[in-house]
Amino acid sequence: MWKQAITVPAPYDFAHALARLALDPLLAVDLERQRITVPLHLDDVKVPVVVESIGTKDAPRFIVSGPHPERQQEIIERISYLFQWWTPLGPIHEHFRRTKLAPLFAEYEGMPLVLVFDLYFCLVKCLIHQQLHLKVGYRLTERFVKTFGEERDGVWFYPRPEEVAARSYDDLRAVQLSGRKAEYIVDVSRIIADGKLRLDELKQMEDGEVMERLTAVRGIGPWTVQNFLLFGLGRPNVFPPADIGLQRAVEQLFQLPKRPTASELAALGERWKPYASYAALYLWRSIE
């Protein structure tokens, strides 16, 4: 096992990040010790990596530890990317201090946008969560991973596209996914396994290009792509106006007489450019 200390730019509040991650029953989060064990897939190697906070919001510092010392630098780079350690949050908070979201950004100051730990699984998770309450989505996702994934030392590793591609629609229906979602997930897994869709290539594309590429796949709509852009690719300026949670959060925060429509929410999202993703993140957090 190797260990490496990392100091990142302030503000960065790991406690806020972990509180949000702890909502997911699949993740190995220890709130008391301020640590999480991350299930990384490095090619075909499953690597559990421990990330532990030893600093504060205003002096953030971490210890990263794991196996495979020959891949230490690669692991550090991946962890840094997933936890967005090199995205300065100061300018983002300064931007929102001049908006109606200022109270939220004061309450959750330093909360980063943490990405889903695997790009393929992010897409699958977005498909599972379509049109579902958050808790129901988490429950179905947990059932999916515990059926088709693998547990090692108390950490759940997500199934790979090749493994899901080999499954039948009925296999996925058996974990209580709807017939349509079972088809969408198996089909997109087969496309990825066959090399017809290369998710890593999407990292180099503009948001609009990613939207065009993914919505061409059966079952993937704008909401799914927006969430994939946000939590898979870490894009800073994405705001899903049709998201029921965001509509409810805006209704509560602004004490509106009724829930805003998607078009009304899209207009609000325009005001929060170029950091609309953080507006969405903090609004979601306000109702979780």
Side-chain angles (χ1 to χ4, degrees):
M1 294 286 287
W2 52 267
K3 290 186 178 183
Q4 183 171 332
I6 306 286
T7 300
V8 307
Y12 190 101
D13 197 323
F14 199 55
H16 279 322
L18 283 188
R20 191 165 201 274
L21 291 172
L23 297 172
D24 187 340
L26 280 170
L27 298 182
V29 175
D30 187 333
L31 292 174
E32 184 176 350
R33 297 179 64 181
Q34 286 292 284
R35 62 185 287 177
I36 182 171
T37 304
V38 178
L40 282 190
H41 289 276
L42 300 180
D43 304 321
D44 295 326
V45 182
K46 296 178 174 68
V47 184
V49 181
V50 176
V51 179
E52 182 173 358
S53 172
I54 57 170
T56 65
K57 177 181 73 174
D58 297 318
R61 187 169 170 81
F62 298 90
I63 294 291
V64 182
S65 58
H68 299 285
E70 75 282 1
R71 306 190 76 166
Q72 179 176 344
Q73 188 55 40
E74 179 185 1
I75 291 169
I76 289 293
E77 289 175 2
R78 180 80 71 86
I79 292 294
S80 298
Y81 170 70
L82 292 173
F83 286 92
Q84 299 284 282
W85 279 342
W86 309 123
T87 299
L89 295 175
I92 296 170
H93 283 283
E94 187 59 35
H95 171 79
F96 283 101
R97 286 191 186 100
R98 302 187 295 270
T99 73
K100 291 184 177 180
L101 295 184
L104 280 188
F105 279 79
E107 183 176 358
Y108 300 111
E109 184 182 21
M111 183 173 67
L113 173 62
V114 178
L115 307 189
V116 175
F117 300 143
D118 178 77
L119 204 53
Y120 161 70
F121 184 67
C122 180
L123 184 58
V124 170
K125 184 177 179 181
C126 291
L127 284 168
I128 293 174
H129 278 246
Q130 282 179 356
Q131 298 179 319
L132 293 178
H133 187 278
L134 187 65
K135 289 183 179 179
V136 177
Y138 276 137
R139 187 163 62 247
L140 287 175
T141 305
E142 180 184 20
R143 193 174 292 138
F144 174 85
V145 172
K146 289 186 175 180
T147 302
F148 304 116
E150 179 184 358
E151 183 186 16
R152 290 192 182 182
D153 301 321
V155 181
W156 280 97
F157 285 84
Y158 314 126
R160 311 315 301 140
E162 297 79 12
E163 295 166 338
V164 178
R167 296 287 181 170
S168 69
Y169 298 150
D170 285 341
D171 288 337
L172 270 69
R173 291 192 191 103
V175 298
Q176 296 188 324
L177 290 171
S178 70
R180 286 286 178 88
K181 285 190 181 180
E183 292 174 15
Y184 298 158
I185 291 168
V186 170
D187 288 351
V188 76
S189 298
R190 289 172 178 170
I191 292 170
I192 293 169
D194 290 343
K196 297 175 183 176
L197 174 61
R198 299 183 183 276
L199 297 181
D200 280 343
E201 292 180 357
L202 302 179
K203 295 178 181 178
Q204 313 306 321
M205 296 182 183
E206 298 293 330
D207 292 358
E209 294 175 299
V210 176
M211 179 68 73
E212 184 177 353
R213 178 69 183 90
L214 288 182
T215 52
V217 178
R218 177 173 172 263
I220 299 180
W223 181 91
T224 300
V225 180
Q226 288 160 348
N227 278 269
F228 178 80
L229 285 166
L230 235 164
F231 294 109
L233 300 179
R235 299 296 169 85
N237 193 40
V238 181
F239 196 81
D243 187 271
I244 299 299
L246 284 183
Q247 292 174 7
R248 185 158 60 90
V250 167
E251 178 188 15
Q252 290 185 13
L253 181 66
F254 298 153
Q255 298 181 326
L256 302 177
K258 63 178 182 178
R259 191 167 295 174
T261 64
S263 59
E264 289 169 337
L265 210 61
L268 278 176
E270 288 293 315
R271 300 182 190 177
W272 297 324
K273 288 183 174 181
Y275 302 120
S277 295
Y278 289 86
L281 176 67
Y282 283 52
L283 282 163
W284 275 317
R285 187 69 191 119
S286 73
I287 60 169
E288 288 173 343

